[in-house]
Amino acid sequence: MSAPAPALSVELQLPLPQFSLECVFQAGPDAVVLFGPSGSGKTSVLDCIAGFRRPRQGRVSLGEHQLFCSRSGVNLPVRLRRIGYLSQQSALFPHLSVAQNVGYGLLDLSPAERASRVEAMLERLRIAHLAGCRPAAISGGEQQRVALARTLVCEPQLLLLDEPLSGLDLPLKTLLLDALFEWQRSRAVPMLYVTHEQSEAYSLARRVLVMEEGRLVADGPPQQVFGAPIRPEQAVLTGYENIFDAVVEESHPELGTMTCRIAQTGLLLESPLANRGPKERASLAVRAGDILVATAPPVGISARNVLAGRIGRIEDRPQVSELRVRCGGDGDSGVEFRVHITRGSLQHLGLRQGAAVWLVIKTHSIQFLRSQR
């Protein structure tokens, strides 16, 4: 077993066509998720760390070893950085067997040691029976297992994973993740895992870095990053479908709440207490799945926010139906809420376009954001 890899330190500045990539972060010998929408700069960060792209300014280091430094002119070649990089494409050599592909990065070892390392890794990923096959003769999932084996067998000091398991079925994805994290934990190697799926971010790491347009906009545990965003941009990325500009009307410290009016409407919402005074502007966020729907005015409930509205349209979404409900006015007046309910609830309640409904929102389902959109 190799010695534990040192911590990763990154400072990058790189002009891109749509924006300038600028990010600074450190990572210890743990798994860290790099999260964000497509085109936010996640892959560019990995490419700069791996040496496939040269930043305009900055530095990349593993412990005391500099991989890149614009100030001192250091730019270590890719082959000397001891980084394992795995993307969605397996990029196997079509003319080599599975065993030869896995052992390709071990050509400096003796044939006996190389064969031993390759055999052990193939067994670990349960593909030893494919050792003599060419890539064209095996499935896409098996090809990705071979690519993972080739990445790990070289004992990298840093793992960079760019959505490597997207498109794989759940059982195979689970198998590969188990093998990957067992290997990572046994060697205490820093790992950056790129994804745009919240479910993966929750399950894969205790720390999430959120990127938007080349910048890091959040850094913390997934429960904090996704459950309590502090900026409107972050709220959008982490699944808050409803974001409203608002004005604080009253503060109730003794109750732990305050009353806010949605901007340019008369709609009032009770939200958790925040560091804002009367007449100050704010932004509020609510998940579509945290809003309940009633077909009659609800009574005797603990939720403090009940808004009368009318369904503007109903759209089918994966696993849910989305209602667009306008509250506080018709046409362009008022404000539109996006609400997610199950198809069973849609049928049971007999909801249709134009129907009058009441939206129920618990106070602590409203997230108070730091700044305006």
Side-chain angles (χ1 to χ4, degrees):
M1 182 182 299
S2 59
L8 171 69
S9 180
V10 176
E11 295 180 18
L12 299 175
Q13 187 179 81
L14 175 68
L16 296 173
Q18 290 78 25
F19 50 77
S20 178
L21 175 68
E22 296 180 15
C23 65
V24 178
F25 65 91
Q26 290 78 40
D30 297 302
V32 177
V33 163
L34 197 57
F35 177 87
S38 297
S40 59
K42 305 184 300 295
T43 297
S44 295
V45 170
L46 298 195
D47 287 348
C48 288
I49 295 172
F52 297 135
R53 302 188 73 160
R54 183 187 179 105
R56 171 181 287 178
Q57 292 181 345
R59 63 180 181 85
V60 179
S61 62
L62 270 173
E64 298 179 354
H65 302 286
Q66 283 194 339
L67 309 183
F68 172 81
C69 181
S70 57
R71 179 173 296 180
S72 60
V74 172
N75 188 19
L76 208 62
V78 174
R79 67 182 185 278
L80 299 180
R81 296 195 180 199
R82 294 202 62 187
I83 292 175
Y85 195 127
L86 184 63
S87 67
Q88 297 178 35
Q89 305 300 321
S90 58
L92 302 178
F93 297 112
H95 62 290
L96 298 182
S97 69
V98 164
Q100 289 170 330
N101 266 283
V102 174
Y104 189 80
L106 303 175
L107 297 180
D108 56 333
L109 301 181
S110 69
E113 185 177 356
R114 181 166 65 249
S116 176
R117 293 260 294 267
V118 169
E119 181 181 0
M121 186 56 66
L122 294 179
E123 289 284 352
R124 186 170 200 153
L125 294 181
R126 304 182 189 179
I127 49 175
H129 61 290
L130 303 176
C133 299
R134 297 284 179 88
I138 62 179
S139 70
E142 290 168 336
Q143 289 179 18
Q144 200 66 349
R145 272 192 272 180
V146 175
L148 178 58
R150 182 178 60 184
T151 300
L152 300 182
V153 77
C154 295
E155 297 288 341
Q157 290 195 333
L158 169 66
L159 281 174
L160 303 177
L161 306 170
D162 192 1
E163 302 191 84
L165 308 181
S166 61
L168 301 184
D169 58 49
L170 184 58
L172 179 56
K173 180 182 289 190
T174 301
L175 171 67
L176 293 183
L177 284 175
D178 287 346
L180 174 63
F181 278 86
E182 179 189 356
W183 186 93
Q184 185 270 333
R185 286 190 295 266
S186 68
R187 287 154 177 80
V189 169
M191 180 169 78
L192 289 181
Y193 191 106
V194 164
T195 183
H196 64 273
E197 296 183 15
Q198 283 192 45
S199 58
E200 280 196 339
Y202 264 109
S203 62
L204 294 180
R206 291 177 293 180
R207 181 184 176 200
V208 176
L209 304 176
V210 180
M211 290 199 69
E212 182 185 12
E213 295 187 348
R215 287 172 169 77
L216 293 176
V217 297
D219 178 355
Q223 293 81 3
Q224 172 187 315
V225 168
F226 297 125
I230 60 174
R231 295 175 51 187
E233 313 91 89
Q234 183 185 342
V236 172
L237 289 175
T238 55
Y240 281 80
E241 295 85 356
N242 300 289
I243 301 178
F244 307 113
D245 293 336
V247 176
V248 177
E249 292 289 320
E250 294 181 272
S251 182
H252 314 287
E254 72 283 1
L255 302 176
T257 64
M258 60 188 188
T259 303
C260 298
R261 177 176 51 82
I262 297 180
Q264 299 179 339
T265 76
L267 287 177
L268 299 178
L269 289 176
E270 181 180 274
S271 70
L273 187 66
N275 187 24
R276 286 287 196 281
K279 308 307 178 185
E280 287 194 64
R281 302 176 68 189
S283 289
L284 306 176
V286 186
R287 293 188 193 274
D290 287 342
I291 302 176
L292 301 181
V293 180
T295 56
V299 295
I301 61 173
S302 61
R304 301 280 292 170
N305 298 299
V306 178
L307 306 175
R310 193 170 297 276
I311 299 176
R313 65 179 188 268
I314 302 174
E315 300 179 357
D316 231 11
R317 294 280 186 266
Q319 302 179 335
V320 298
S321 294
E322 181 173 287
L323 311 182
R324 300 295 184 95
V325 179
R326 185 162 292 278
C327 300
D330 297 321
D332 293 331
S333 62
V335 61
E336 185 179 74
F337 286 82
R338 296 168 63 183
V339 183
H340 289 171
I341 62 173
T342 65
R343 295 184 182 91
S345 294
L346 181 72
Q347 294 173 4
H348 177 72
L349 295 174
L351 298 176
R352 66 189 187 282
Q353 185 174 337
V357 292
W358 283 259
L359 304 185
V360 181
I361 308 173
K362 295 169 62 177
T363 298
H364 286 279
S365 291
I366 298 176
Q367 179 65 36
F368 200 95
L369 305 178
R370 176 176 292 172
S371 59
Q372 294 281 121
R373 274 192 294 179

